[in-house]
Amino acid sequence: GAGVSQSPSNKVTEKGKDVELRCDPISGHTALYWYRQSLGQGLEFLIYFQGNSAPDKSGLPSDRFSAERTGGSVSTLTIQRTQQEDSAVYLCASSLALGVTVYNEQFFGPGTRLTVL
Amino acid sequence: AQTVTQSQPEMSVQEAETVTLSCTYDTSENNYYLFWYKQPPSRQMILVIRQEAYKQQNATENRFSVNFQKAAKSFSLKISDSQLGDTAMYFCAFMKHVVGGDMRFGAGTRLTVKP
C-alpha cells in the first residue's frame, strides 16, 4: 500500500492480558516510530527504530512494553500484563533517514485504539 | 528536555473567518523543526505545515501560515478562510534537527468550524 498501515484498528482486552500491535511502514522507509496518544492528550514518543541499529527505547513507560522490527520492515509493539492506564491510541510513523541535514517527514498510520477493561 | 504547550484546549470559528492557534515551546537547541499537524476524527495525522528554526521567513501553505518568533519560542498557526473540513484536533510539535529525531507534541487544540 501507499501509506503506513496498522492492525488491528481497534483492540479490546482484559486487564492482565498481553497484546500485540502491528505496523507496516511505507516501503523503503528505514526509520520507524511508535507513539501513544492517551485520551485528550498529545502524542507521546515510545520507541524509534533506524535500520539495523539498536532501537531508541527511551520513551517506553515500563518494562511491560517492548517492540521489535523484523527484517527492517514490519514492527510489533507488545504490551504485557495490560493495565487500564494502557488504554490509548497507539500510532506508528515511518520516514526516510537520508542524513542529518535533510528533513525527513514522518508519515503516520491510522493508529490502533486499545481499550483495557 | 523539550516541552510544547498549547494553551487553548478548544476554539471555534465561523466558516470563511480567520483563526489563530497558539503554541509555545521550550528548548535549549538552536537547530530544530516545528510542525502543525491536523488530526480529524479518522485519527490520521496530517502534516499541515513545518518551519525550520534557522529560517526567519514564516512558512505558508495555501490558507495556512505560521508566525514563528524564535526568541519568544512561539509558533502560532493562522488559518484563513476557514472551511468546514478544517474541523479537527490540531497539534503543535517540535523535533530536534537530527536523524531520527522523535517529535514532542503539545496537548492539542480542538478546532470547530461553524457554518
Side-chain angles (χ1 to χ4, degrees):
Chain A
V4 178
S5 60
Q6 293 186 245
S7 60
S9 177
N10 291 282
K11 174 73 176 178
V12 180
T13 190
E14 294 180 346
K15 178 182 174 180
K17 301 283 189 181
D18 297 351
V19 295
E20 286 188 352
L21 313 179
R22 177 186 169 107
C23 172
D24 282 87
I26 293 172
S27 178
H29 281 191
T30 57
L32 187 147
Y33 306 77
W34 283 98
Y35 294 88
R36 177 171 70 175
Q37 184 178 21
S38 300
L39 184 64
Q41 300 295 315
L43 280 67
E44 171 191 6
F45 166 73
L46 296 178
I47 189 169
Y48 158 66
F49 294 90
Q50 170 52 42
N52 296 318
S53 302
D56 175 0
K57 304 179 181 180
S58 60
L60 294 179
S62 78
D63 59 8
R64 296 186 296 104
F65 288 72
S66 62
E68 292 184 341
R69 189 178 186 193
T70 54
S73 180
V74 172
S75 177
T76 302
L77 177 69
T78 300
I79 308 173
Q80 296 178 310
R81 306 181 302 281
T82 52
Q83 304 294 312
Q84 289 183 332
E85 61 262 30
D86 298 335
S87 295
V89 174
Y90 290 83
L91 289 157
C92 174
S94 72
S95 75
L96 296 168
L98 298 179
V100 175
T101 59
V102 177
Y103 165 68
N104 302 295
E105 180 178 347
Q106 293 186 24
F107 293 85
F108 285 83
T112 293
R113 181 180 297 282
L114 174 66
T115 303
V116 182
L117 301 176
Chain B
Q2 291 77 34
T3 58
V4 180
T5 302
Q6 293 179 250
S7 59
Q8 304 152 315
E10 294 189 19
M11 292 192 72
S12 64
V13 63
Q14 291 296 131
E15 195 175 7
E17 296 294 310
T18 295
V19 64
T20 299
L21 308 183
S22 301
C23 173
T24 59
Y25 59 95
D26 186 28
T27 184
S28 58
E29 301 285 329
N30 189 46
N31 292 324
Y32 49 87
Y33 297 104
L34 294 164
F35 308 87
W36 280 96
Y37 277 87
K38 170 184 177 180
Q39 187 181 43
S42 67
R43 298 200 306 246
Q44 188 73 50
M45 294 288 284
I46 302 166
L47 178 64
V48 174
I49 198 166
R50 83 166 189 273
Q51 174 82 41
E52 289 91 340
Y54 66 87
K55 290 186 177 180
Q56 292 186 340
Q57 186 174 8
N58 289 323
T60 63
E61 283 289 341
N62 300 313
R63 296 183 295 109
F64 300 88
S65 62
V66 299
N67 183 6
F68 173 49
Q69 301 291 328
K70 190 172 184 180
K73 295 180 181 174
S74 170
F75 183 62
S76 61
L77 174 70
K78 184 172 80 171
I79 305 175
S80 304
D81 185 26
S82 298
Q83 300 176 0
L84 297 179
D86 295 334
T87 293
M89 284 290 291
Y90 285 81
F91 293 98
C92 178
F94 170 101
M95 185 172 78
K96 287 192 285 188
H97 192 269
V98 294
V99 173
D102 60 277
M103 283 190 281
R104 305 291 164 146
F105 288 82
T109 296
R110 182 176 300 281
L111 176 67
T112 302
V113 180
K114 299 180 178 179

